[in-house]
Amino acid sequence: MLTVDFSRFPLAPGDRVLDLGCGAGRHAFECYRRGAQVVALDQNAEEIREVGKWFAAMAEAGEAPAGATATAMEGDALALPFPDESFDVVIISEVMEHIPDDKGVLAEMVRVLRPGGRIAVTVPRYGPEKVCWTLSDAYHEVEGGHIRIYKADELVGKIKEAGLRPYGSHHAHALHSPYWWLKCAFGVDNDKALPVRAYHKLLVWDIMKKPLATRLAEQALNPVMGKSLVVYATKPHLPAAGTGTAPDTEAAAR
């Protein structure tokens, strides 16, 4: 299940990609399949070991084209172990809401991104996330849990302040919002509640089968109750001497 829409965030074979806070690796795997040179980085050593195993399995199965590379490594998002301008693409998905110094993370991403490079940032959307916080303290008051809820204009403002130029946005995963509302209502650790189990089965079926009906339903519902906000931006080239800075190309939608 991808949150980044690669039709809006083009990736070319050979692109150097950093999946920052990669978690289980879903975006890193997709980039590898598309022929990129991928680095998947996370502070969770156990998850990184699993991502590394999946990379190896994908290579053995021939799932990645010739020239594609994949590395899984443990690291700190606030002190990335890479030189300046190391990557063409940076993805950070469902991570910034966990980190107190989100401006510091953005600064590090900008540092390692080459001029002209692209970045995708995804966070929980304000409305659906606010419902979760209202229904359950246990949803977010846990070690490593969500410490903030972003409004769209706040996130876009921080992206601009970091020196990036947003060019588009959208919402994703509308069908997942009710699942998390049910989880919060019945207890985030209570997977035995019938409504939670039933809805989870529906989501698994949808992910595996990808039926047209649910895809159309989610497309229609994403603007209203999409679980995630996705913002795309570029790192501008430095203006030539004596020229001004180019204006922003598109304001991100709320």
Side-chain angles (χ1 to χ4, degrees):
M1 183 187 74
L2 299 174
T3 307
V4 173
D5 181 350
F6 286 94
S7 69
R8 310 185 194 208
F9 189 67
L11 193 69
D15 274 352
R16 301 163 297 168
V17 177
L18 172 63
D19 185 1
L20 180 56
C22 64
R26 57 200 173 102
H27 288 106
F29 300 149
E30 180 65 19
C31 294
Y32 188 32
R33 291 187 187 99
R34 290 171 177 259
Q37 299 175 11
V38 184
V39 175
L41 182 143
D42 201 285
Q43 67 177 1
N44 187 312
E46 183 176 346
E47 286 196 311
I48 283 299
R49 283 193 294 272
E50 288 300 311
V51 170
K53 291 177 182 177
W54 278 105
F55 278 150
M58 291 172 67
E60 185 175 349
E63 290 190 37
T69 62
T71 302
M73 61 184 296
E74 190 177 351
D76 182 355
L78 289 166
L80 295 174
F82 310 112
D84 296 355
E85 303 179 9
S86 296
F87 296 95
D88 304 297
V89 173
V90 177
I91 296 171
I92 184 166
S93 183
E94 312 300 303
V95 173
M96 287 180 54
E97 67 275 10
H98 296 272
I99 301 177
D101 186 9
D102 56 348
K103 290 186 178 181
V105 172
L106 279 167
E108 273 293 86
M109 289 190 287
V110 171
R111 180 184 68 79
V112 302
L113 185 66
R114 68 164 176 83
R118 303 172 304 286
I119 187 169
V121 180
T122 93
V123 297
R125 185 183 186 177
Y126 183 85
E129 182 77 349
K130 188 68 173 178
V131 173
C132 290
W133 283 45
T134 300
L135 290 172
S136 172
D137 290 336
Y139 171 79
H140 64 97
E141 290 181 357
V142 295
E143 184 178 357
H146 299 183
I147 62 171
R148 69 174 66 82
I149 308 176
Y150 287 100
K151 290 187 176 180
D153 55 358
E154 175 193 3
L155 179 62
V156 170
K158 288 186 176 184
I159 289 171
K160 288 180 178 179
E161 287 173 11
L164 296 166
R165 185 172 298 156
Y167 68 83
S169 70
H170 62 90
H171 300 105
H173 309 319
L175 296 182
H176 288 249
S177 290
Y179 172 72
W180 284 102
W181 297 339
L182 288 170
K183 289 272 287 181
C184 290
F186 286 93
V188 291
D189 296 320
N190 180 12
D191 293 327
K192 295 182 179 180
L194 179 59
V196 175
R197 286 192 290 116
Y199 202 95
H200 183 262
K201 287 182 179 179
L202 171 66
L203 291 179
V204 171
W205 172 78
D206 176 57
I207 291 170
M208 298 301 294
K209 300 297 185 180
K210 298 180 175 64
L212 179 61
T214 56
R215 281 185 285 142
L216 292 175
E218 186 154 77
Q219 288 174 11
L221 290 171
N222 275 337
V224 180
M225 52 186 273
K227 183 73 170 68
S228 295
L229 166 67
V230 189
V231 180
Y232 305 109
T234 59
K235 179 177 177 178
H237 293 275
L238 291 175
T243 65
T245 302
D248 291 338
T249 56
E250 180 183 335
R254 288 173 173 74

